[in-house]
């Protein structure tokens, strides 16, 4: 799966509290992102695990190919800033 140069991809599920929080954070800050719903697409869980090396979600992949697993809002903000997607 190819990512747009300025696109974030998040692998998550609606039953996951951290996923809902990360999604809300990005929506509140106007961050465009691809959301991969692991309930609707369970085969994509293998992709998320391959990226992160863990079974935990959310897995958030940034345009610079870095990723975070279960990030706090502060960690999300720092990575979004580092990728030029969030102003200070």
């Amino acid at each position: 799966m190819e990512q747009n140069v300025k696109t974030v991809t998040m692998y998550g599920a609606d039953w996951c509290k951290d996923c809902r929080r990360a999604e809300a954070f990005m929506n509140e800050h106007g961050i465009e992102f691809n959301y991969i719903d692991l309930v609707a697409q369970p085969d994509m869980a293998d992709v998320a695990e391959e990226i992160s090396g863990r079974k935990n979600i959310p897995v958030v992949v940034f345009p610079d190919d870095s990723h975070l697993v279960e990030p706090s809002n502060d960690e999300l903000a720092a990575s979004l800033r580092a990728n030029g997607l969030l102003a200070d």
Side-chain angles (χ1 to χ4, degrees), residues 25-63:
F25 179 87
M26 290 193 285
N27 284 331
E28 288 167 13
H29 290 87
I31 305 300
E32 290 186 31
F33 63 99
N34 294 324
Y35 181 74
I36 308 297
D37 182 347
L38 298 177
V39 173
Q41 300 178 335
D43 56 313
M44 295 302 286
D46 292 338
V47 175
E49 185 177 353
E50 186 177 311
I51 291 166
S52 68
R54 298 168 56 185
K55 290 189 181 287
N56 306 63
I57 55 174
V59 175
V60 184
V61 182
F62 299 92

PDB file of all heavy atoms in Angstrom, residues 25-63:
ATOM      1  N   PHE A  25      -8.163  13.076  18.255  1.00  0.00           N
ATOM      2  CA  PHE A  25      -7.092  14.071  18.284  1.00  0.00           C
ATOM      3  C   PHE A  25      -6.771  14.553  16.868  1.00  0.00           C
ATOM      4  O   PHE A  25      -6.683  15.760  16.613  1.00  0.00           O
ATOM      5  CB  PHE A  25      -5.835  13.484  18.940  1.00  0.00           C
ATOM      6  CG  PHE A  25      -4.683  14.449  18.982  1.00  0.00           C
ATOM      7  CD1 PHE A  25      -4.548  15.334  20.032  1.00  0.00           C
ATOM      8  CD2 PHE A  25      -3.732  14.479  17.968  1.00  0.00           C
ATOM      9  CE1 PHE A  25      -3.491  16.244  20.072  1.00  0.00           C
ATOM     10  CE2 PHE A  25      -2.680  15.373  17.987  1.00  0.00           C
ATOM     11  CZ  PHE A  25      -2.560  16.263  19.049  1.00  0.00           C
ATOM     12  N   MET A  26      -6.613  13.610  15.953  1.00  0.00           N
ATOM     13  CA  MET A  26      -6.274  14.008  14.579  1.00  0.00           C
ATOM     14  C   MET A  26      -7.426  14.750  13.915  1.00  0.00           C
ATOM     15  O   MET A  26      -7.197  15.739  13.216  1.00  0.00           O
ATOM     16  CB  MET A  26      -5.821  12.787  13.779  1.00  0.00           C
ATOM     17  CG  MET A  26      -4.463  12.289  14.266  1.00  0.00           C
ATOM     18  SD  MET A  26      -3.653  11.105  13.175  1.00  0.00           S
ATOM     19  CE  MET A  26      -4.610   9.639  13.494  1.00  0.00           C
ATOM     20  N   ASN A  27      -8.648  14.312  14.158  1.00  0.00           N
ATOM     21  CA  ASN A  27      -9.803  15.028  13.600  1.00  0.00           C
ATOM     22  C   ASN A  27      -9.898  16.446  14.150  1.00  0.00           C
ATOM     23  O   ASN A  27     -10.148  17.394  13.402  1.00  0.00           O
ATOM     24  CB  ASN A  27     -11.100  14.260  13.873  1.00  0.00           C
ATOM     25  CG  ASN A  27     -11.263  13.061  12.969  1.00  0.00           C
ATOM     26  OD1 ASN A  27     -10.773  13.038  11.844  1.00  0.00           O
ATOM     27  ND2 ASN A  27     -11.953  12.045  13.459  1.00  0.00           N
ATOM     28  N   GLU A  28      -9.686  16.607  15.451  1.00  0.00           N
ATOM     29  CA  GLU A  28      -9.748  17.934  16.076  1.00  0.00           C
ATOM     30  C   GLU A  28      -8.700  18.885  15.519  1.00  0.00           C
ATOM     31  O   GLU A  28      -8.910  20.097  15.506  1.00  0.00           O
ATOM     32  CB  GLU A  28      -9.562  17.815  17.594  1.00  0.00           C
ATOM     33  CG  GLU A  28     -10.749  17.208  18.309  1.00  0.00           C
ATOM     34  CD  GLU A  28     -10.440  16.814  19.748  1.00  0.00           C
ATOM     35  OE1 GLU A  28      -9.382  17.215  20.288  1.00  0.00           O
ATOM     36  OE2 GLU A  28     -11.261  16.078  20.328  1.00  0.00           O
ATOM     37  N   HIS A  29      -7.573  18.343  15.075  1.00  0.00           N
ATOM     38  CA  HIS A  29      -6.489  19.172  14.547  1.00  0.00           C
ATOM     39  C   HIS A  29      -6.470  19.218  13.020  1.00  0.00           C
ATOM     40  O   HIS A  29      -5.515  19.722  12.427  1.00  0.00           O
ATOM     41  CB  HIS A  29      -5.149  18.686  15.102  1.00  0.00           C
ATOM     42  CG  HIS A  29      -4.997  18.983  16.557  1.00  0.00           C
ATOM     43  ND1 HIS A  29      -5.462  18.141  17.536  1.00  0.00           N
ATOM     44  CD2 HIS A  29      -4.486  20.053  17.199  1.00  0.00           C
ATOM     45  CE1 HIS A  29      -5.223  18.671  18.717  1.00  0.00           C
ATOM     46  NE2 HIS A  29      -4.637  19.836  18.541  1.00  0.00           N
ATOM     47  N   GLY A  30      -7.511  18.696  12.383  1.00  0.00           N
ATOM     48  CA  GLY A  30      -7.622  18.775  10.930  1.00  0.00           C
ATOM     49  C   GLY A  30      -6.590  17.952  10.185  1.00  0.00           C
ATOM     50  O   GLY A  30      -6.228  18.289   9.053  1.00  0.00           O
ATOM     51  N   ILE A  31      -6.126  16.879  10.793  1.00  0.00           N
ATOM     52  CA  ILE A  31      -5.123  16.021  10.155  1.00  0.00           C
ATOM     53  C   ILE A  31      -5.841  15.021   9.243  1.00  0.00           C
ATOM     54  O   ILE A  31      -6.718  14.286   9.691  1.00  0.00           O
ATOM     55  CB  ILE A  31      -4.306  15.240  11.208  1.00  0.00           C
ATOM     56  CG1 ILE A  31      -3.664  16.184  12.230  1.00  0.00           C
ATOM     57  CG2 ILE A  31      -3.275  14.341  10.532  1.00  0.00           C
ATOM     58  CD1 ILE A  31      -2.715  17.206  11.659  1.00  0.00           C
ATOM     59  N   GLU A  32      -5.473  15.010   7.975  1.00  0.00           N
ATOM     60  CA  GLU A  32      -6.022  14.018   7.057  1.00  0.00           C
ATOM     61  C   GLU A  32      -5.277  12.717   7.276  1.00  0.00           C
ATOM     62  O   GLU A  32      -4.053  12.699   7.389  1.00  0.00           O
ATOM     63  CB  GLU A  32      -5.830  14.471   5.608  1.00  0.00           C
ATOM     64  CG  GLU A  32      -6.698  15.651   5.237  1.00  0.00           C
ATOM     65  CD  GLU A  32      -6.597  15.981   3.763  1.00  0.00           C
ATOM     66  OE1 GLU A  32      -6.371  15.049   2.955  1.00  0.00           O
ATOM     67  OE2 GLU A  32      -6.732  17.159   3.429  1.00  0.00           O
ATOM     68  N   PHE A  33      -6.033  11.630   7.370  1.00  0.00           N
ATOM     69  CA  PHE A  33      -5.391  10.336   7.564  1.00  0.00           C
ATOM     70  C   PHE A  33      -6.248   9.220   6.994  1.00  0.00           C
ATOM     71  O   PHE A  33      -7.457   9.353   6.853  1.00  0.00           O
ATOM     72  CB  PHE A  33      -5.091  10.084   9.046  1.00  0.00           C
ATOM     73  CG  PHE A  33      -6.304  10.002   9.937  1.00  0.00           C
ATOM     74  CD1 PHE A  33      -6.821   8.777  10.319  1.00  0.00           C
ATOM     75  CD2 PHE A  33      -6.927  11.154  10.399  1.00  0.00           C
ATOM     76  CE1 PHE A  33      -7.940   8.695  11.143  1.00  0.00           C
ATOM     77  CE2 PHE A  33      -8.034  11.090  11.226  1.00  0.00           C
ATOM     78  CZ  PHE A  33      -8.546   9.849  11.599  1.00  0.00           C
ATOM     79  N   ASN A  34      -5.577   8.143   6.639  1.00  0.00           N
ATOM     80  CA  ASN A  34      -6.263   6.928   6.190  1.00  0.00           C
ATOM     81  C   ASN A  34      -6.506   6.081   7.427  1.00  0.00           C
ATOM     82  O   ASN A  34      -5.576   5.815   8.188  1.00  0.00           O
ATOM     83  CB  ASN A  34      -5.386   6.137   5.212  1.00  0.00           C
ATOM     84  CG  ASN A  34      -5.157   6.881   3.931  1.00  0.00           C
ATOM     85  OD1 ASN A  34      -6.030   7.569   3.436  1.00  0.00           O
ATOM     86  ND2 ASN A  34      -3.968   6.741   3.380  1.00  0.00           N
ATOM     87  N   TYR A  35      -7.742   5.670   7.622  1.00  0.00           N
ATOM     88  CA  TYR A  35      -8.078   4.831   8.768  1.00  0.00           C
ATOM     89  C   TYR A  35      -8.329   3.413   8.286  1.00  0.00           C
ATOM     90  O   TYR A  35      -9.200   3.192   7.439  1.00  0.00           O
ATOM     91  CB  TYR A  35      -9.315   5.370   9.486  1.00  0.00           C
ATOM     92  CG  TYR A  35      -9.704   4.554  10.695  1.00  0.00           C
ATOM     93  CD1 TYR A  35      -8.964   4.626  11.869  1.00  0.00           C
ATOM     94  CD2 TYR A  35     -10.795   3.702  10.659  1.00  0.00           C
ATOM     95  CE1 TYR A  35      -9.305   3.882  12.972  1.00  0.00           C
ATOM     96  CE2 TYR A  35     -11.148   2.945  11.769  1.00  0.00           C
ATOM     97  CZ  TYR A  35     -10.393   3.041  12.921  1.00  0.00           C
ATOM     98  OH  TYR A  35     -10.737   2.296  14.023  1.00  0.00           O
ATOM     99  N   ILE A  36      -7.556   2.487   8.788  1.00  0.00           N
ATOM    100  CA  ILE A  36      -7.726   1.079   8.459  1.00  0.00           C
ATOM    101  C   ILE A  36      -8.457   0.433   9.637  1.00  0.00           C
ATOM    102  O   ILE A  36      -7.885   0.289  10.725  1.00  0.00           O
ATOM    103  CB  ILE A  36      -6.375   0.365   8.230  1.00  0.00           C
ATOM    104  CG1 ILE A  36      -5.497   1.109   7.220  1.00  0.00           C
ATOM    105  CG2 ILE A  36      -6.609  -1.092   7.837  1.00  0.00           C
ATOM    106  CD1 ILE A  36      -6.054   1.207   5.831  1.00  0.00           C
ATOM    107  N   ASP A  37      -9.727   0.095   9.421  1.00  0.00           N
ATOM    108  CA  ASP A  37     -10.564  -0.507  10.460  1.00  0.00           C
ATOM    109  C   ASP A  37     -10.267  -2.001  10.512  1.00  0.00           C
ATOM    110  O   ASP A  37     -10.619  -2.750   9.596  1.00  0.00           O
ATOM    111  CB  ASP A  37     -12.030  -0.251  10.140  1.00  0.00           C
ATOM    112  CG  ASP A  37     -12.980  -0.795  11.178  1.00  0.00           C
ATOM    113  OD1 ASP A  37     -12.564  -1.598  12.042  1.00  0.00           O
ATOM    114  OD2 ASP A  37     -14.171  -0.430  11.125  1.00  0.00           O
ATOM    115  N   LEU A  38      -9.624  -2.428  11.596  1.00  0.00           N
ATOM    116  CA  LEU A  38      -9.195  -3.819  11.699  1.00  0.00           C
ATOM    117  C   LEU A  38     -10.350  -4.776  11.985  1.00  0.00           C
ATOM    118  O   LEU A  38     -10.179  -5.989  11.850  1.00  0.00           O
ATOM    119  CB  LEU A  38      -8.104  -3.952  12.754  1.00  0.00           C
ATOM    120  CG  LEU A  38      -6.826  -3.157  12.431  1.00  0.00           C
ATOM    121  CD1 LEU A  38      -5.813  -3.290  13.558  1.00  0.00           C
ATOM    122  CD2 LEU A  38      -6.227  -3.585  11.107  1.00  0.00           C
ATOM    123  N   VAL A  39     -11.511  -4.245  12.342  1.00  0.00           N
ATOM    124  CA  VAL A  39     -12.691  -5.091  12.481  1.00  0.00           C
ATOM    125  C   VAL A  39     -13.244  -5.395  11.092  1.00  0.00           C
ATOM    126  O   VAL A  39     -13.546  -6.537  10.758  1.00  0.00           O
ATOM    127  CB  VAL A  39     -13.760  -4.421  13.374  1.00  0.00           C
ATOM    128  CG1 VAL A  39     -15.051  -5.217  13.369  1.00  0.00           C
ATOM    129  CG2 VAL A  39     -13.233  -4.269  14.798  1.00  0.00           C
ATOM    130  N   ALA A  40     -13.326  -4.367  10.262  1.00  0.00           N
ATOM    131  CA  ALA A  40     -13.837  -4.531   8.894  1.00  0.00           C
ATOM    132  C   ALA A  40     -12.826  -5.235   7.988  1.00  0.00           C
ATOM    133  O   ALA A  40     -13.214  -5.914   7.043  1.00  0.00           O
ATOM    134  CB  ALA A  40     -14.207  -3.172   8.312  1.00  0.00           C
ATOM    135  N   GLN A  41     -11.534  -5.043   8.281  1.00  0.00           N
ATOM    136  CA  GLN A  41     -10.468  -5.636   7.465  1.00  0.00           C
ATOM    137  C   GLN A  41      -9.491  -6.397   8.367  1.00  0.00           C
ATOM    138  O   GLN A  41      -8.347  -5.973   8.558  1.00  0.00           O
ATOM    139  CB  GLN A  41      -9.723  -4.547   6.696  1.00  0.00           C
ATOM    140  CG  GLN A  41     -10.583  -3.755   5.748  1.00  0.00           C
ATOM    141  CD  GLN A  41      -9.786  -2.660   5.063  1.00  0.00           C
ATOM    142  OE1 GLN A  41      -8.769  -2.179   5.559  1.00  0.00           O
ATOM    143  NE2 GLN A  41     -10.256  -2.257   3.897  1.00  0.00           N
ATOM    144  N   PRO A  42      -9.923  -7.515   8.950  1.00  0.00           N
ATOM    145  CA  PRO A  42      -9.074  -8.225   9.916  1.00  0.00           C
ATOM    146  C   PRO A  42      -7.738  -8.694   9.346  1.00  0.00           C
ATOM    147  O   PRO A  42      -6.754  -8.816  10.087  1.00  0.00           O
ATOM    148  CB  PRO A  42      -9.936  -9.406  10.364  1.00  0.00           C
ATOM    149  CG  PRO A  42     -11.019  -9.532   9.350  1.00  0.00           C
ATOM    150  CD  PRO A  42     -11.209  -8.174   8.743  1.00  0.00           C
ATOM    151  N   ASP A  43      -7.669  -8.908   8.040  1.00  0.00           N
ATOM    152  CA  ASP A  43      -6.405  -9.319   7.419  1.00  0.00           C
ATOM    153  C   ASP A  43      -5.344  -8.224   7.528  1.00  0.00           C
ATOM    154  O   ASP A  43      -4.144  -8.515   7.482  1.00  0.00           O
ATOM    155  CB  ASP A  43      -6.622  -9.718   5.960  1.00  0.00           C
ATOM    156  CG  ASP A  43      -7.277  -8.619   5.132  1.00  0.00           C
ATOM    157  OD1 ASP A  43      -8.285  -8.041   5.599  1.00  0.00           O
ATOM    158  OD2 ASP A  43      -6.790  -8.352   4.026  1.00  0.00           O
ATOM    159  N   MET A  44      -5.763  -6.986   7.701  1.00  0.00           N
ATOM    160  CA  MET A  44      -4.807  -5.880   7.815  1.00  0.00           C
ATOM    161  C   MET A  44      -4.119  -5.850   9.180  1.00  0.00           C
ATOM    162  O   MET A  44      -3.127  -5.150   9.361  1.00  0.00           O
ATOM    163  CB  MET A  44      -5.504  -4.545   7.535  1.00  0.00           C
ATOM    164  CG  MET A  44      -6.006  -4.410   6.105  1.00  0.00           C
ATOM    165  SD  MET A  44      -4.694  -4.586   4.863  1.00  0.00           S
ATOM    166  CE  MET A  44      -3.865  -3.010   5.072  1.00  0.00           C
ATOM    167  N   ALA A  45      -4.624  -6.625  10.140  1.00  0.00           N
ATOM    168  CA  ALA A  45      -3.966  -6.711  11.447  1.00  0.00           C
ATOM    169  C   ALA A  45      -2.554  -7.262  11.297  1.00  0.00           C
ATOM    170  O   ALA A  45      -1.637  -6.855  12.019  1.00  0.00           O
ATOM    171  CB  ALA A  45      -4.786  -7.566  12.401  1.00  0.00           C
ATOM    172  N   ASP A  46      -2.369  -8.162  10.338  1.00  0.00           N
ATOM    173  CA  ASP A  46      -1.029  -8.703  10.073  1.00  0.00           C
ATOM    174  C   ASP A  46      -0.096  -7.612   9.572  1.00  0.00           C
ATOM    175  O   ASP A  46       1.086  -7.582   9.914  1.00  0.00           O
ATOM    176  CB  ASP A  46      -1.088  -9.847   9.063  1.00  0.00           C
ATOM    177  CG  ASP A  46      -1.772 -11.082   9.616  1.00  0.00           C
ATOM    178  OD1 ASP A  46      -1.835 -11.243  10.857  1.00  0.00           O
ATOM    179  OD2 ASP A  46      -2.265 -11.892   8.802  1.00  0.00           O
ATOM    180  N   VAL A  47      -0.622  -6.704   8.773  1.00  0.00           N
ATOM    181  CA  VAL A  47       0.186  -5.591   8.257  1.00  0.00           C
ATOM    182  C   VAL A  47       0.586  -4.683   9.414  1.00  0.00           C
ATOM    183  O   VAL A  47       1.748  -4.286   9.542  1.00  0.00           O
ATOM    184  CB  VAL A  47      -0.594  -4.796   7.183  1.00  0.00           C
ATOM    185  CG1 VAL A  47       0.195  -3.570   6.738  1.00  0.00           C
ATOM    186  CG2 VAL A  47      -0.913  -5.692   5.993  1.00  0.00           C
ATOM    187  N   ALA A  48      -0.372  -4.354  10.286  1.00  0.00           N
ATOM    188  CA  ALA A  48      -0.081  -3.492  11.440  1.00  0.00           C
ATOM    189  C   ALA A  48       0.969  -4.143  12.340  1.00  0.00           C
ATOM    190  O   ALA A  48       1.895  -3.473  12.809  1.00  0.00           O
ATOM    191  CB  ALA A  48      -1.359  -3.211  12.217  1.00  0.00           C
ATOM    192  N   GLU A  49       0.839  -5.448  12.550  1.00  0.00           N
ATOM    193  CA  GLU A  49       1.806  -6.151  13.397  1.00  0.00           C
ATOM    194  C   GLU A  49       3.182  -6.194  12.739  1.00  0.00           C
ATOM    195  O   GLU A  49       4.210  -6.051  13.412  1.00  0.00           O
ATOM    196  CB  GLU A  49       1.323  -7.566  13.696  1.00  0.00           C
ATOM    197  CG  GLU A  49       2.223  -8.306  14.654  1.00  0.00           C
ATOM    198  CD  GLU A  49       1.728  -9.692  15.015  1.00  0.00           C
ATOM    199  OE1 GLU A  49       0.596 -10.068  14.631  1.00  0.00           O
ATOM    200  OE2 GLU A  49       2.493 -10.414  15.677  1.00  0.00           O
ATOM    201  N   GLU A  50       3.217  -6.349  11.425  1.00  0.00           N
ATOM    202  CA  GLU A  50       4.492  -6.356  10.702  1.00  0.00           C
ATOM    203  C   GLU A  50       5.188  -5.005  10.834  1.00  0.00           C
ATOM    204  O   GLU A  50       6.407  -4.930  11.007  1.00  0.00           O
ATOM    205  CB  GLU A  50       4.241  -6.684   9.232  1.00  0.00           C
ATOM    206  CG  GLU A  50       5.498  -6.860   8.422  1.00  0.00           C
ATOM    207  CD  GLU A  50       5.190  -7.266   6.990  1.00  0.00           C
ATOM    208  OE1 GLU A  50       4.403  -8.199   6.779  1.00  0.00           O
ATOM    209  OE2 GLU A  50       5.745  -6.616   6.080  1.00  0.00           O
ATOM    210  N   ILE A  51       4.417  -3.928  10.773  1.00  0.00           N
ATOM    211  CA  ILE A  51       4.984  -2.581  10.897  1.00  0.00           C
ATOM    212  C   ILE A  51       5.542  -2.361  12.293  1.00  0.00           C
ATOM    213  O   ILE A  51       6.654  -1.863  12.464  1.00  0.00           O
ATOM    214  CB  ILE A  51       3.912  -1.514  10.581  1.00  0.00           C
ATOM    215  CG1 ILE A  51       3.547  -1.552   9.100  1.00  0.00           C
ATOM    216  CG2 ILE A  51       4.394  -0.113  10.992  1.00  0.00           C
ATOM    217  CD1 ILE A  51       2.279  -0.792   8.740  1.00  0.00           C
ATOM    218  N   SER A  52       4.739  -2.724  13.300  1.00  0.00           N
ATOM    219  CA  SER A  52       5.082  -2.367  14.679  1.00  0.00           C
ATOM    220  C   SER A  52       5.839  -3.436  15.450  1.00  0.00           C
ATOM    221  O   SER A  52       6.476  -3.136  16.467  1.00  0.00           O
ATOM    222  CB  SER A  52       3.806  -2.040  15.448  1.00  0.00           C
ATOM    223  OG  SER A  52       3.014  -3.208  15.624  1.00  0.00           O
ATOM    224  N   GLY A  53       5.728  -4.687  15.008  1.00  0.00           N
ATOM    225  CA  GLY A  53       6.333  -5.766  15.762  1.00  0.00           C
ATOM    226  C   GLY A  53       5.537  -6.129  17.006  1.00  0.00           C
ATOM    227  O   GLY A  53       6.006  -6.864  17.865  1.00  0.00           O
ATOM    228  N   ARG A  54       4.320  -5.585  17.112  1.00  0.00           N
ATOM    229  CA  ARG A  54       3.468  -5.806  18.283  1.00  0.00           C
ATOM    230  C   ARG A  54       2.030  -6.022  17.825  1.00  0.00           C
ATOM    231  O   ARG A  54       1.674  -5.686  16.713  1.00  0.00           O
ATOM    232  CB  ARG A  54       3.514  -4.573  19.199  1.00  0.00           C
ATOM    233  CG  ARG A  54       4.897  -4.284  19.738  1.00  0.00           C
ATOM    234  CD  ARG A  54       5.029  -2.930  20.392  1.00  0.00           C
ATOM    235  NE  ARG A  54       4.061  -2.732  21.468  1.00  0.00           N
ATOM    236  CZ  ARG A  54       3.934  -1.584  22.120  1.00  0.00           C
ATOM    237  NH1 ARG A  54       4.689  -0.546  21.803  1.00  0.00           N
ATOM    238  NH2 ARG A  54       3.049  -1.459  23.077  1.00  0.00           N
ATOM    239  N   LYS A  55       1.219  -6.535  18.729  1.00  0.00           N
ATOM    240  CA  LYS A  55      -0.201  -6.727  18.428  1.00  0.00           C
ATOM    241  C   LYS A  55      -1.049  -5.559  18.932  1.00  0.00           C
ATOM    242  O   LYS A  55      -2.243  -5.522  18.709  1.00  0.00           O
ATOM    243  CB  LYS A  55      -0.702  -8.032  19.045  1.00  0.00           C
ATOM    244  CG  LYS A  55      -0.130  -9.261  18.367  1.00  0.00           C
ATOM    245  CD  LYS A  55      -0.805 -10.516  18.850  1.00  0.00           C
ATOM    246  CE  LYS A  55      -0.225 -11.746  18.192  1.00  0.00           C
ATOM    247  NZ  LYS A  55      -0.598 -11.916  16.809  1.00  0.00           N
ATOM    248  N   ASN A  56      -0.440  -4.610  19.627  1.00  0.00           N
ATOM    249  CA  ASN A  56      -1.166  -3.468  20.186  1.00  0.00           C
ATOM    250  C   ASN A  56      -1.610  -2.501  19.104  1.00  0.00           C
ATOM    251  O   ASN A  56      -0.928  -2.352  18.079  1.00  0.00           O
ATOM    252  CB  ASN A  56      -0.284  -2.722  21.179  1.00  0.00           C
ATOM    253  CG  ASN A  56       0.283  -3.620  22.248  1.00  0.00           C
ATOM    254  OD1 ASN A  56       1.041  -4.534  21.936  1.00  0.00           O
ATOM    255  ND2 ASN A  56      -0.057  -3.388  23.488  1.00  0.00           N
ATOM    256  N   ILE A  57      -2.740  -1.843  19.347  1.00  0.00           N
ATOM    257  CA  ILE A  57      -3.229  -0.790  18.455  1.00  0.00           C
ATOM    258  C   ILE A  57      -3.624   0.412  19.293  1.00  0.00           C
ATOM    259  O   ILE A  57      -3.843   0.260  20.496  1.00  0.00           O
ATOM    260  CB  ILE A  57      -4.428  -1.280  17.593  1.00  0.00           C
ATOM    261  CG1 ILE A  57      -5.560  -1.824  18.464  1.00  0.00           C
ATOM    262  CG2 ILE A  57      -3.966  -2.277  16.564  1.00  0.00           C
ATOM    263  CD1 ILE A  57      -6.825  -2.185  17.708  1.00  0.00           C
ATOM    264  N   PRO A  58      -3.682   1.591  18.696  1.00  0.00           N
ATOM    265  CA  PRO A  58      -3.482   1.858  17.283  1.00  0.00           C
ATOM    266  C   PRO A  58      -2.005   1.844  16.892  1.00  0.00           C
ATOM    267  O   PRO A  58      -1.134   2.094  17.706  1.00  0.00           O
ATOM    268  CB  PRO A  58      -4.050   3.275  17.108  1.00  0.00           C
ATOM    269  CG  PRO A  58      -3.824   3.932  18.442  1.00  0.00           C
ATOM    270  CD  PRO A  58      -4.024   2.817  19.450  1.00  0.00           C
ATOM    271  N   VAL A  59      -1.800   1.564  15.618  1.00  0.00           N
ATOM    272  CA  VAL A  59      -0.500   1.739  14.988  1.00  0.00           C
ATOM    273  C   VAL A  59      -0.681   2.912  14.040  1.00  0.00           C
ATOM    274  O   VAL A  59      -1.534   2.873  13.153  1.00  0.00           O
ATOM    275  CB  VAL A  59      -0.050   0.479  14.219  1.00  0.00           C
ATOM    276  CG1 VAL A  59       1.249   0.743  13.471  1.00  0.00           C
ATOM    277  CG2 VAL A  59       0.099  -0.707  15.161  1.00  0.00           C
ATOM    278  N   VAL A  60       0.098   3.964  14.261  1.00  0.00           N
ATOM    279  CA  VAL A  60      -0.004   5.174  13.442  1.00  0.00           C
ATOM    280  C   VAL A  60       1.291   5.301  12.650  1.00  0.00           C
ATOM    281  O   VAL A  60       2.373   5.357  13.234  1.00  0.00           O
ATOM    282  CB  VAL A  60      -0.240   6.431  14.310  1.00  0.00           C
ATOM    283  CG1 VAL A  60      -0.438   7.654  13.429  1.00  0.00           C
ATOM    284  CG2 VAL A  60      -1.439   6.230  15.243  1.00  0.00           C
ATOM    285  N   VAL A  61       1.160   5.320  11.320  1.00  0.00           N
ATOM    286  CA  VAL A  61       2.312   5.401  10.425  1.00  0.00           C
ATOM    287  C   VAL A  61       2.331   6.790   9.803  1.00  0.00           C
ATOM    288  O   VAL A  61       1.322   7.268   9.280  1.00  0.00           O
ATOM    289  CB  VAL A  61       2.245   4.318   9.327  1.00  0.00           C
ATOM    290  CG1 VAL A  61       3.477   4.386   8.437  1.00  0.00           C
ATOM    291  CG2 VAL A  61       2.095   2.929   9.945  1.00  0.00           C
ATOM    292  N   PHE A  62       3.494   7.428   9.863  1.00  0.00           N
ATOM    293  CA  PHE A  62       3.655   8.803   9.388  1.00  0.00           C
ATOM    294  C   PHE A  62       4.329   8.833   8.019  1.00  0.00           C
ATOM    295  O   PHE A  62       4.958   7.850   7.613  1.00  0.00           O
ATOM    296  CB  PHE A  62       4.463   9.594  10.420  1.00  0.00           C
ATOM    297  CG  PHE A  62       3.769   9.653  11.751  1.00  0.00           C
ATOM    298  CD1 PHE A  62       4.037   8.701  12.720  1.00  0.00           C
ATOM    299  CD2 PHE A  62       2.806  10.605  12.007  1.00  0.00           C
ATOM    300  CE1 PHE A  62       3.372   8.717  13.940  1.00  0.00           C
ATOM    301  CE2 PHE A  62       2.131  10.629  13.212  1.00  0.00           C
ATOM    302  CZ  PHE A  62       2.413   9.685  14.179  1.00  0.00           C
ATOM    303  N   PRO A  63       4.230   9.959   7.311  1.00  0.00           N
ATOM    304  CA  PRO A  63       4.815  10.055   5.971  1.00  0.00           C
ATOM    305  C   PRO A  63       6.309   9.759   5.913  1.00  0.00           C
ATOM    306  O   PRO A  63       6.803   9.314   4.880  1.00  0.00           O
ATOM    307  CB  PRO A  63       4.531  11.499   5.554  1.00  0.00           C
ATOM    308  CG  PRO A  63       3.301  11.858   6.308  1.00  0.00           C
ATOM    309  CD  PRO A  63       3.447  11.156   7.643  1.00  0.00           C
TER     310      PRO A  63
END
